[in-house]
Each structure stands twice: as structure tokens, then as C-alpha cells.
Amino acid sequence: MAERLDEERLEILRAWGAGLSTSDRDELRAAGKAIVMLIEEIDRLQADVWMAGEAAVHRARAAEAAADRAPEPEPEPVAEPDSPAGAKESVTVTGSGSGSGVCTQIF
């Protein structure tokens, strides 16, 4: 398995590419320019990877800070054992005048 290109190896390739780019032979000059272009692309990709990592760290810290500021959720009400789950109680009074009203409870 080939070893990774570290900074020292990239510099060696960069020097070869620059040297070949000044050759009198067209093929060597083209190869040198290609090497230089590839090294420049590697530099750009390394910068992109670094920036993406920094952005991910920033997003994670922002999400953590937002979670720390979020209020605790309110506990859900517990239904009374006598009533069906989730039922609410209300009172309705009908009729007019004193003492003539009818009161009904709805569950």
C-alpha cells in the first residue's frame, strides 16, 4: 500500500513539477505543469476539508449552546383514574331565572 502524501513529499513533487515545467521538451513541460496543477488542487482540497471540519465544530457548539438554553418541557397532565384518559371536565348551566337552571356535567 502506498504511503500518504505528507508535506515533505508534496514539496518534492512541487519542485519536480516546477523543474519539468521549464523543460525544452513539450512532453516534459506538459507533465510538469500537470504535476503543479495537481499539487495546487491537493492544497485547495486540504483547505476545504479543514474549513468543513471547522464549520462542523461550530455547528456542534451552537447546537449544544441552544440545547443548554432551551427550557425544560412541562410535564404532561395525568388523567384522573375515574375518567377516561385525556377527557376534560366542563359544566354547562341552562335555563333562566332563579332556581330554574339545569346543570349537566360533560366528560
Side-chain angles (χ1 to χ4, degrees), residues 61-72:
R61 286 182 181 158
E64 186 177 299
D68 289 344
R69 289 189 306 265
E72 291 292 321

Side-chain angles (χ1 to χ4, degrees), residues 92-104:
T92 304
V93 177
T94 59
S96 62
S98 72
S100 65
V102 176
C103 179
T104 58

Side-chain angles (χ1 to χ4, degrees), residues 29-103:
R29 194 169 45 250
K33 288 179 182 179
I35 291 171
V36 170
M37 285 175 40
L38 290 171
I39 298 300
E40 289 171 353
E41 183 64 17
I42 289 171
D43 289 341
R44 282 189 293 272
L45 291 171
Q46 287 176 334
D48 289 348
V49 168
W50 184 82
M51 292 297 289
E54 289 293 310
V57 167
H58 178 72
R59 284 192 304 271
R61 286 182 181 158
E64 186 177 299
D68 289 344
R69 289 189 306 265
E72 291 292 321
E74 302 249 348
E76 295 203 18
V78 177
E80 293 292 322
D82 298 14
S83 65
K88 294 187 178 185
E89 194 174 276
S90 67
V91 176
T92 304
V93 177
T94 59
S96 62
S98 72
S100 65
V102 176
C103 179

